[in-house]
Amino acid sequence: MNSTLDLAEPAARLADIKPSPIRAIFDRASELERAGERVIHLEIGRPDFDTPEVAKQRAAQAIADGKVHYGPNAGQPELRAAISRYLDRRHNLTYSPDDEVLVTIGANEAVFLAIMAFCGPGDEVVIPVPAWSAYVACVRLAGATPVILPLSADDGYQVNPDALAAVMTERTRMVVLCTPHNPTGAVTDPKRLAGVADVVRDTRALVLSDEIYAELVYGGQRHISPASVADLRHRTLVVGGFAKAYAMDGWRLGWLAGPKELVRPALRIRQFTTICPTTFAQLGGAAALDEAGAEREAMRQEFERRRNVALEVLAQQDVLSPGEPGGAFYLYLSYPERLGPSDELAWRLLEEQHVAVVPGTAFDSDGGKHALRISYACGIDDLREGLNRLVATVQSN
Ligand SMILES: Cc1ncc(COP(=O)(O)O)c(C=O)c1O
């Protein structure tokens, strides 16, 4: 046998797919915990609440009723109908449950399917950064080219239509929007959406609108779906899910909604990849959308309380700037360059202070070299303590 054959060489499309820095921090934090240390987790982007009871009961009932087999590729009709009702009720979006809603395995699968369905070699996808790292990774997996559009703290991390116009070319196939935004918490201003609509008009760019944090808005802010803006609906695919607002991250449920011409190609991939999301989980998901509005609102209020506490703590110092976080459950803290690169600062915080945060470089942005993301999806005492340690560390440098 030829021992020089490299059996483990991955396909070329994996060349730029790196392990997630968030994972690396989390793994090291877990290692410290196994060694008996107490670590404060400000890195995790998932709620610390339990799933609403009604969803658990409905899923358990579904198992008892034998809903344990394959279902339709597009998802269970009950859940598609519930998503369609929900989008209409909460976000003023009308999509037919028959062919305009695809139930996905988390919002992540929705992002992946949308990008795989429409973007390939030669296509460009504009991604405002800092950004959730899956967008760039999915674009690369699709063989398309990510085009970075830097967002700035001075502009409230809003998409600037002029800057968008400047990076668009005839190869632009998709523009990714995320509101409320991970990692900055920015809620996109409707005027900016109108500006985006002007820029993409007469182009072949689709809009991939990630609205997984749509329910998590604070301080009187309102979530406006890009798809509800005149002129954008016909080119927009809306991504949503259960992980953040319903504390159902482990259920792996989400959706992709849009005009049927845009949803159908994504469904074609689904037939040959995952077939369908877990059948009984979907019935629990339908119950959550239809009946757990009060639990969702209680969680939102608690997140808002934590956000306000975090901003109060940060108001007592001037090294870390949180920007204008109107939604999601993150603060993106930019800081002066003299404190060194965010990778180093994040690792130092973990090793010396036992506070886990995410370096800004995890979000595909150069600006992230001097920023940290913290999540306030943790208990309020941990949040306060973690922030105090963070502030003490940056002030002593
Ligand atoms: C912006 C954004 N979109 C999508 C997801 C993935 O959500 P899900 O767990 O439903 O796949 C995340 C998870 O952190 C996210 O931050």
Side-chain angles (χ1 to χ4, degrees), residues 106-108 132 135 178 182 210 212-213 243-244 252-253 330:
N108 204 147
W132 181 49
Y135 307 132
C178 174
N182 176 9
D210 186 343
I212 181 99
Y213 296 99
K244 315 295 176 178
R252 309 309 305 132
L253 287 178
Y330 305 110

mmCIF file of all heavy atoms in Angstrom, residues 106-108 132 135 178 182 210 212-213 243-244 252-253 330, ligand 1:
data_model
loop_
_atom_site.group_PDB
_atom_site.id
_atom_site.type_symbol
_atom_site.label_atom_id
_atom_site.label_comp_id
_atom_site.label_asym_id
_atom_site.label_seq_id
_atom_site.Cartn_x
_atom_site.Cartn_y
_atom_site.Cartn_z
ATOM 1 N N GLY A 106 -33.263 23.899 12.922
ATOM 2 C CA GLY A 106 -32.658 25.121 13.445
ATOM 3 C C GLY A 106 -32.592 26.177 12.349
ATOM 4 O O GLY A 106 -32.719 25.883 11.151
ATOM 5 N N ALA A 107 -32.401 27.419 12.793
ATOM 6 C CA ALA A 107 -32.239 28.513 11.829
ATOM 7 C C ALA A 107 -30.969 28.288 11.013
ATOM 8 O O ALA A 107 -30.861 28.708 9.863
ATOM 9 C CB ALA A 107 -32.166 29.850 12.567
ATOM 10 N N ASN A 108 -30.007 27.598 11.610
ATOM 11 C CA ASN A 108 -28.750 27.353 10.896
ATOM 12 C C ASN A 108 -28.984 26.583 9.595
ATOM 13 O O ASN A 108 -28.413 26.898 8.563
ATOM 14 C CB ASN A 108 -27.788 26.583 11.818
ATOM 15 C CG ASN A 108 -26.335 26.783 11.450
ATOM 16 O OD1 ASN A 108 -25.462 26.791 12.311
ATOM 17 N ND2 ASN A 108 -26.039 26.940 10.168
ATOM 18 N N TRP A 132 -22.444 36.741 12.698
ATOM 19 C CA TRP A 132 -22.488 35.348 13.146
ATOM 20 C C TRP A 132 -21.681 34.531 12.119
ATOM 21 O O TRP A 132 -21.895 34.671 10.907
ATOM 22 C CB TRP A 132 -23.944 34.899 13.193
ATOM 23 C CG TRP A 132 -24.140 33.497 13.649
ATOM 24 C CD1 TRP A 132 -23.607 32.908 14.754
ATOM 25 C CD2 TRP A 132 -24.957 32.510 13.006
ATOM 26 N NE1 TRP A 132 -24.039 31.607 14.842
ATOM 27 C CE2 TRP A 132 -24.866 31.339 13.782
ATOM 28 C CE3 TRP A 132 -25.751 32.504 11.854
ATOM 29 C CZ2 TRP A 132 -25.534 30.177 13.448
ATOM 30 C CZ3 TRP A 132 -26.426 31.352 11.526
ATOM 31 C CH2 TRP A 132 -26.322 30.207 12.314
ATOM 32 N N TYR A 135 -22.466 32.532 8.439
ATOM 33 C CA TYR A 135 -22.738 33.054 7.083
ATOM 34 C C TYR A 135 -21.527 32.866 6.179
ATOM 35 O O TYR A 135 -21.634 32.350 5.075
ATOM 36 C CB TYR A 135 -23.116 34.545 7.105
ATOM 37 C CG TYR A 135 -24.232 34.918 8.038
ATOM 38 C CD1 TYR A 135 -24.091 36.003 8.902
ATOM 39 C CD2 TYR A 135 -25.420 34.199 8.073
ATOM 40 C CE1 TYR A 135 -25.099 36.367 9.769
ATOM 41 C CE2 TYR A 135 -26.430 34.558 8.938
ATOM 42 C CZ TYR A 135 -26.265 35.636 9.794
ATOM 43 O OH TYR A 135 -27.262 35.989 10.652
ATOM 44 N N CYS A 178 -29.190 40.736 9.293
ATOM 45 C CA CYS A 178 -29.513 40.055 10.550
ATOM 46 C C CYS A 178 -29.994 41.119 11.523
ATOM 47 O O CYS A 178 -29.231 41.991 11.931
ATOM 48 C CB CYS A 178 -28.271 39.353 11.092
ATOM 49 S SG CYS A 178 -28.517 38.615 12.726
ATOM 50 N N ASN A 182 -26.709 39.672 15.862
ATOM 51 C CA ASN A 182 -25.644 38.985 16.589
ATOM 52 C C ASN A 182 -24.352 39.326 15.849
ATOM 53 O O ASN A 182 -24.279 39.067 14.648
ATOM 54 C CB ASN A 182 -25.885 37.467 16.545
ATOM 55 C CG ASN A 182 -24.752 36.682 17.193
ATOM 56 O OD1 ASN A 182 -23.869 37.248 17.814
ATOM 57 N ND2 ASN A 182 -24.797 35.373 17.045
ATOM 58 N N ASP A 210 -31.989 37.111 8.428
ATOM 59 C CA ASP A 210 -31.936 36.257 9.619
ATOM 60 C C ASP A 210 -32.622 36.995 10.771
ATOM 61 O O ASP A 210 -32.116 37.988 11.284
ATOM 62 C CB ASP A 210 -30.476 35.949 9.947
ATOM 63 C CG ASP A 210 -30.349 34.938 11.084
ATOM 64 O OD1 ASP A 210 -31.316 34.722 11.823
ATOM 65 O OD2 ASP A 210 -29.239 34.366 11.225
ATOM 66 N N ILE A 212 -33.764 35.453 13.699
ATOM 67 C CA ILE A 212 -33.869 34.523 14.829
ATOM 68 C C ILE A 212 -34.082 35.264 16.157
ATOM 69 O O ILE A 212 -34.660 34.727 17.086
ATOM 70 C CB ILE A 212 -32.624 33.607 14.891
ATOM 71 C CG1 ILE A 212 -32.692 32.587 16.036
ATOM 72 C CG2 ILE A 212 -31.334 34.358 15.061
ATOM 73 C CD1 ILE A 212 -33.115 31.249 15.645
ATOM 74 N N TYR A 213 -33.630 36.536 16.233
ATOM 75 C CA TYR A 213 -33.800 37.290 17.485
ATOM 76 C C TYR A 213 -34.995 38.245 17.421
ATOM 77 O O TYR A 213 -35.098 39.153 18.250
ATOM 78 C CB TYR A 213 -32.522 38.089 17.796
ATOM 79 C CG TYR A 213 -31.321 37.199 18.048
ATOM 80 C CD1 TYR A 213 -30.380 36.954 17.055
ATOM 81 C CD2 TYR A 213 -31.151 36.559 19.276
ATOM 82 C CE1 TYR A 213 -29.291 36.117 17.281
ATOM 83 C CE2 TYR A 213 -30.068 35.719 19.509
ATOM 84 C CZ TYR A 213 -29.148 35.496 18.494
ATOM 85 O OH TYR A 213 -28.077 34.658 18.735
ATOM 86 N N ALA A 243 -34.849 28.741 18.940
ATOM 87 C CA ALA A 243 -33.738 28.587 19.884
ATOM 88 C C ALA A 243 -33.662 29.733 20.884
ATOM 89 O O ALA A 243 -33.427 29.511 22.068
ATOM 90 C CB ALA A 243 -32.427 28.478 19.111
ATOM 91 N N LYS A 244 -33.867 30.944 20.421
ATOM 92 C CA LYS A 244 -33.581 32.100 21.272
ATOM 93 C C LYS A 244 -34.811 32.557 22.047
ATOM 94 O O LYS A 244 -34.761 32.760 23.243
ATOM 95 C CB LYS A 244 -33.042 33.251 20.423
ATOM 96 C CG LYS A 244 -31.983 32.835 19.407
ATOM 97 C CD LYS A 244 -30.710 32.314 20.038
ATOM 98 C CE LYS A 244 -29.742 31.824 18.973
ATOM 99 N NZ LYS A 244 -28.472 31.356 19.511
ATOM 100 N N ARG A 252 -33.713 21.837 17.846
ATOM 101 C CA ARG A 252 -33.257 21.993 16.477
ATOM 102 C C ARG A 252 -34.433 22.206 15.509
ATOM 103 O O ARG A 252 -34.705 21.379 14.630
ATOM 104 C CB ARG A 252 -32.380 20.802 16.020
ATOM 105 C CG ARG A 252 -31.245 20.455 16.954
ATOM 106 C CD ARG A 252 -30.374 21.668 17.330
ATOM 107 N NE ARG A 252 -29.841 22.364 16.185
ATOM 108 C CZ ARG A 252 -29.912 23.703 16.051
ATOM 109 N NH1 ARG A 252 -30.488 24.472 16.965
ATOM 110 N NH2 ARG A 252 -29.404 24.272 14.999
ATOM 111 N N LEU A 253 -35.098 23.308 15.711
ATOM 112 C CA LEU A 253 -36.200 23.678 14.814
ATOM 113 C C LEU A 253 -36.053 25.126 14.382
ATOM 114 O O LEU A 253 -35.639 25.971 15.178
ATOM 115 C CB LEU A 253 -37.546 23.553 15.529
ATOM 116 C CG LEU A 253 -38.104 22.171 15.806
ATOM 117 C CD1 LEU A 253 -39.433 22.297 16.562
ATOM 118 C CD2 LEU A 253 -38.317 21.384 14.510
ATOM 119 N N TYR A 330 -26.929 40.148 23.394
ATOM 120 C CA TYR A 330 -25.476 40.331 23.368
ATOM 121 C C TYR A 330 -25.105 41.793 23.548
ATOM 122 O O TYR A 330 -25.848 42.692 23.150
ATOM 123 C CB TYR A 330 -24.914 39.892 22.012
ATOM 124 C CG TYR A 330 -25.290 38.496 21.629
ATOM 125 C CD1 TYR A 330 -26.191 38.257 20.589
ATOM 126 C CD2 TYR A 330 -24.755 37.412 22.315
ATOM 127 C CE1 TYR A 330 -26.540 36.961 20.235
ATOM 128 C CE2 TYR A 330 -25.106 36.113 21.972
ATOM 129 C CZ TYR A 330 -25.995 35.894 20.930
ATOM 130 O OH TYR A 330 -26.340 34.616 20.592
HETATM 131 C C1 LIG B 1 -27.830 35.141 14.073
HETATM 132 C C2 LIG B 1 -28.066 33.686 14.304
HETATM 133 N N1 LIG B 1 -28.746 32.990 13.398
HETATM 134 C C3 LIG B 1 -28.990 31.680 13.552
HETATM 135 C C4 LIG B 1 -28.529 31.004 14.675
HETATM 136 C C5 LIG B 1 -28.767 29.513 14.774
HETATM 137 O O1 LIG B 1 -29.959 29.237 15.390
HETATM 138 P P1 LIG B 1 -30.462 27.734 15.547
HETATM 139 O O2 LIG B 1 -29.975 27.257 16.869
HETATM 140 O O3 LIG B 1 -31.943 27.836 15.469
HETATM 141 O O4 LIG B 1 -29.886 26.940 14.428
HETATM 142 C C6 LIG B 1 -27.804 31.685 15.642
HETATM 143 C C7 LIG B 1 -27.275 30.977 16.810
HETATM 144 O O5 LIG B 1 -26.500 31.473 17.591
HETATM 145 C C8 LIG B 1 -27.578 33.061 15.458
HETATM 146 O O6 LIG B 1 -26.911 33.792 16.367
#
